[in-house]
């Protein structure tokens, strides 16, 4: 990854890593359906305003909007709802581990449907090592496991995210949509879908405390609005599987945010697990070998040599 891409990757991880805390806080005043509707409306409003200010047009064509709606279903509506329900009865640590399975699930789905992102031994081993690091960081052995339905909901969110990554890569990335236009249109479609099902979901009068209000605002404006611009940019730049690896860093970011903002202690497993995550990601992308090479070294056999023709996406990410 280039430095700018790494910066976007880490920013998205930070925004999504903080969302676990804000989801918990928001559920003190809203039902899961109300929470998801609120964050989608706020995120959509922000992105539509930005698109208007920057004169970025939204996509046109019913066929394209059909794909956008499908991406919104798997990338927003389903995982947002599943996490909101799951976190009511499941510890945040275990929820983070389950969502941390997204890159491995994405690799499996991408291998099945994306010829340019077939699994390699290096990538599979690296992603598996990264998942081990996530488990060490979260330390699920110190947290309550919660209900089976809560765990199933969080794992379902990870699977939905994986399908969403691959769907965007297969059907939307080839359309060359601007990241802002793609993000704004997907959140708009997600808000419409959520509005259609909300009347059939559990409802109570919202209770807006200062904590609940601020949590919803952050979720909508930053963890949803800004984060999904980064989401599309990363998929365009590095592909579905590599972009989904942000979910390995999300739990690390969540623990660090808790330590900085809430004064929570930093345990040994955070430090050890964080190192394992970085090593796994570096191995998956062949960064460890690149660090050992000097400028005079000959590129290894599995490193693509630049040619006049543009390399395939799979080659660019090795």
């Amino acid at each position: 990854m280039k430095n700018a891409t790494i910066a976007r990757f880490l920013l998205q991880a930070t925004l999504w890593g903080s969302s676990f805390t804000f989801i918990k806080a928001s559920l003190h005043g809203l039902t899961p359906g109300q929470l998801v509707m609120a964050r989608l409306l706020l995120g959509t409003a922000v992105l539509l305003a930005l698109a208007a200010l920057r004169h970025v047009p939204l996509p046109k064509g019913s066929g394209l909007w059909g794909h956008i709606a499908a991406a919104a279903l798997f990338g927003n509506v389903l995982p947002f709802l599943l996490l909101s329900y799951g976190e009511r009865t499941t510890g945040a640590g275990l929820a983070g581990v389950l969502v941390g399975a997204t890159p491995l699930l994405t690799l499996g789905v991408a291998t099945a449907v994306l010829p340019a992102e077939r699994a390699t031994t290096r990538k599979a081993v690296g992603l598996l090592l990264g998942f081990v690091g996530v488990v060490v960081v979260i330390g699920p052995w110190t947290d309550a496991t919660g209900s089976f339905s809560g765990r199933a909901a969080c794992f379902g969110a990870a699977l939905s995210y994986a399908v969403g990554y691959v769907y965007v890569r297969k059907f939307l990335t080839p359309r060359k949509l601007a990241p802002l236009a793609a993000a704004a249109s997907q959140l708009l479609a997600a808000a419409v879908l959520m509005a259609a099902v909300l009347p059939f979901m559990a409802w109570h009068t919202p209770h807006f405390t200062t904590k609940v209000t601020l949590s919803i605002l952050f979720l909508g404006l930053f963890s949803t609005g800004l984060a999904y611009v980064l989401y599309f940019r990363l998929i365009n730049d590095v592909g579905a599987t590599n972009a989904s690896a942000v979910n390995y860093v999300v739990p690390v970011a969540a623990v660090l945010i808790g330590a900085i903002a809430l004064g929570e202690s930093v345990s040994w497993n955070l430090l050890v697990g964080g190192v394992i995550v970085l090593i796994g990601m570096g191995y998956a992308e062949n960064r460890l070998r690149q660090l050992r090479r000097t400028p005079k070294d000959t590129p290894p056999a599995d490193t693509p040599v630049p040619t006049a023709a543009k390399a395939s996406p799979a080659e660019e990410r090795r």
Side-chain angles (χ1 to χ4, degrees):
M1 294 183 188
K2 297 179 180 179
N3 290 339
T5 303
I6 293 174
R8 297 185 191 101
F9 186 95
L10 294 177
L11 177 56
Q12 187 185 8
T14 301
L15 293 174
W16 278 0
S18 62
S19 67
F20 287 97
T21 299
F22 292 113
I23 288 173
K24 283 278 190 183
S26 299
L27 289 172
H28 291 158
L30 300 175
T31 65
Q34 291 168 340
L35 168 58
V36 173
M37 187 77 255
R39 68 181 294 190
L40 286 174
L41 285 176
L42 286 170
T44 301
V46 169
L47 294 186
L48 289 178
L50 286 175
L53 288 173
R54 299 180 62 177
H55 303 289
V56 177
L58 294 183
K60 297 180 181 179
S62 58
L64 178 55
W65 274 96
H67 287 307
I68 291 172
L73 177 65
F74 292 111
N76 300 108
V77 178
L78 286 178
F80 286 4
L81 281 173
L82 289 169
L83 282 175
S84 296
Y85 278 107
E87 285 198 54
R88 295 195 303 178
T89 58
T90 300
L94 186 57
V97 170
L98 292 170
V99 173
T102 299
L104 281 177
L105 294 171
T106 303
L107 179 62
V109 178
T111 298
V113 302
L114 296 179
E117 297 198 30
R118 298 299 186 192
T120 63
T121 300
R122 172 177 292 278
K123 184 172 289 187
V125 171
L127 291 178
L128 184 60
L129 183 60
F131 180 65
V132 171
V134 170
V135 175
V136 174
V137 167
I138 297 300
W141 53 86
T142 64
D143 199 3
T145 59
S147 68
F148 174 79
S149 61
R151 298 195 300 271
C154 292
F155 184 79
L159 180 58
S160 185
Y161 276 133
V163 174
Y165 273 110
V166 175
Y167 196 94
V168 167
R169 181 66 172 175
K170 184 174 180 64
F171 294 106
L172 294 182
T173 297
R175 306 296 184 104
K176 306 297 183 182
L177 300 176
L180 179 56
S185 59
Q186 180 168 320
L187 287 187
L188 177 60
V192 172
L193 291 174
M194 189 63 213
V197 301
L198 186 60
F200 303 99
M201 303 180 68
W203 183 276
H204 65 60
T205 302
H207 180 59
F208 291 104
T209 63
T210 300
K211 184 177 182 180
V212 170
T213 302
L214 291 177
S215 297
I216 295 169
L217 288 173
F218 187 94
L219 279 171
L221 301 179
F222 299 103
S223 294
T224 306
L226 176 58
Y228 272 87
V229 176
L230 299 172
Y231 168 87
F232 275 96
R233 180 60 185 267
L234 285 171
I235 292 177
N236 288 345
D237 289 347
V238 299
T241 301
N242 288 339
S244 72
V246 72
N247 291 282
Y248 282 160
V249 187
V250 165
V252 181
V255 176
L256 287 175
I257 291 170
I260 296 172
L262 304 178
E264 297 176 351
S265 60
V266 178
S267 60
W268 67 267
N269 52 300
L270 170 61
L271 300 176
V272 174
V275 171
I276 295 174
V277 168
L278 294 176
I279 291 174
M281 292 178 62
Y283 182 81
E285 292 196 11
N286 206 18
R287 295 298 178 184
L288 302 181
R289 177 180 293 183
Q290 293 178 16
L291 289 175
R292 294 196 299 266
R293 288 169 49 198
T294 65
K296 295 181 180 180
D297 287 340
T298 302
D302 62 347
T303 302
V305 178
T307 63
K310 180 177 176 57
S312 68
E315 290 173 329
E316 290 174 350
R317 288 188 293 278
R318 270 191 223 168

